[in-house]
Amino acid sequence: MVAPPLEVVAVLKLCQRRAGANRGGEFVQEHNPEDVSEVIEPLEPYMTSEVADALNWPRRSAFNVLDDLADEGRIRKKKPEARRVIWIREQ
């Protein structure tokens, strides 16, 4: 197999860094889960879009962080509909 030209490799590495990858090509979490606690009041229901807008994050990033927090038991996840999720922080 022939290696790609160095210009192509440089462009690919630049794209990976812009997409959030470190120098090793691994993608790293830039959004701090602790920031979520600052915008979610205890016992109040929130939709993903509300949290994303409050933190100025993409919705997908907010969903991923919220889902991880739910998996850790730090917040509750309610799914009343197939495409709707409600997040609730315990006291």
Side-chain angles (χ1 to χ4, degrees):
M1 183 171 173
V2 177
L6 290 178
E7 296 85 16
V8 172
V9 172
V11 169
L12 289 173
K13 287 183 179 183
L14 178 62
C15 289
Q16 284 179 329
R17 280 196 296 267
R18 286 187 178 164
N22 63 16
R23 293 206 178 266
E26 299 173 16
F27 288 90
V28 293
Q29 176 72 279
E30 292 183 13
H31 302 297
N32 186 353
E34 301 307 318
D35 294 340
V36 173
S37 297
E38 295 176 17
V39 298
I40 293 183
E41 296 293 325
L43 304 177
E44 287 291 320
Y46 290 87
M47 293 176 47
T48 304
S49 60
E50 293 175 299
V51 176
D53 291 345
L55 294 170
N56 198 27
W57 292 356
R59 285 185 187 177
R60 189 66 201 175
S61 296
F63 176 85
N64 290 341
V65 170
L66 289 163
D67 201 43
D68 288 345
L69 290 171
D71 288 346
E72 295 170 7
R74 294 170 60 187
I75 62 174
R76 286 190 316 156
K77 176 181 180 179
K78 292 282 200 174
K79 198 161 181 180
E81 299 174 15
R83 295 182 49 105
R84 185 174 312 270
V85 180
I86 297 172
W87 309 96
I88 302 168
R89 189 178 113 199
E90 301 290 332
Q91 281 189 327

